[in-house]
Structure formats: C-alpha cells, structure tokens
C-alpha cells in the first residue's frame, strides 16, 4: 500500500514538473512569436 502511495506521489510530482516546463516553454515561445511578429510588422 505504501509502495503504491509512493509511486502515485512520484508520478504526480513528475507530471507537475513536466507541466511547469511545458508552461515555461509556451511562455517563451509566445514571447518569441510576439517579438518576431513585432519585428516583421516593423520591417514590412
């Protein structure tokens, strides 16, 4: 029972870390797209 609980906790923690990483990547890519869009709009 303790082993199952430990596994669930471990999986949840890893899932949260992955979600945070994806969120961070999304924010960074959004900023890059905005930057590229702003530069492209400025040049064209």
């Amino acid at each position: 029972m303790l082993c199952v609980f430990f596994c669930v906790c471990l999986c949840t923690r890893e899932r949260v870390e992955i979600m945070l990483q994806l969120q961070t990547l999304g924010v960074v890519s959004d900023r890059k797209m905005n930057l590229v869009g702003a530069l492209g709009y400025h040049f064209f």
Side-chain angles (χ1 to χ4, degrees), residues 20-39:
L20 283 174
Q21 283 177 350
L22 285 173
Q23 221 170 8
T24 306
L25 277 173
V27 169
V28 170
S29 64
D30 277 352
R31 284 188 184 160
K32 277 186 185 169
M33 289 301 283
N34 286 341
L35 188 65
V36 168
L39 286 173

Side-chain angles (χ1 to χ4, degrees), residues 1-40:
M1 187 66 192
L2 189 65
C3 179
V4 171
F5 179 73
F6 182 72
C7 284
V8 168
C9 283
L10 197 66
C11 286
T12 306
R13 196 177 132 214
E14 284 195 6
R15 201 176 297 151
V16 168
E17 283 179 11
I18 289 169
M19 281 171 67
L20 283 174
Q21 283 177 350
L22 285 173
Q23 221 170 8
T24 306
L25 277 173
V27 169
V28 170
S29 64
D30 277 352
R31 284 188 184 160
K32 277 186 185 169
M33 289 301 283
N34 286 341
L35 188 65
V36 168
L39 286 173

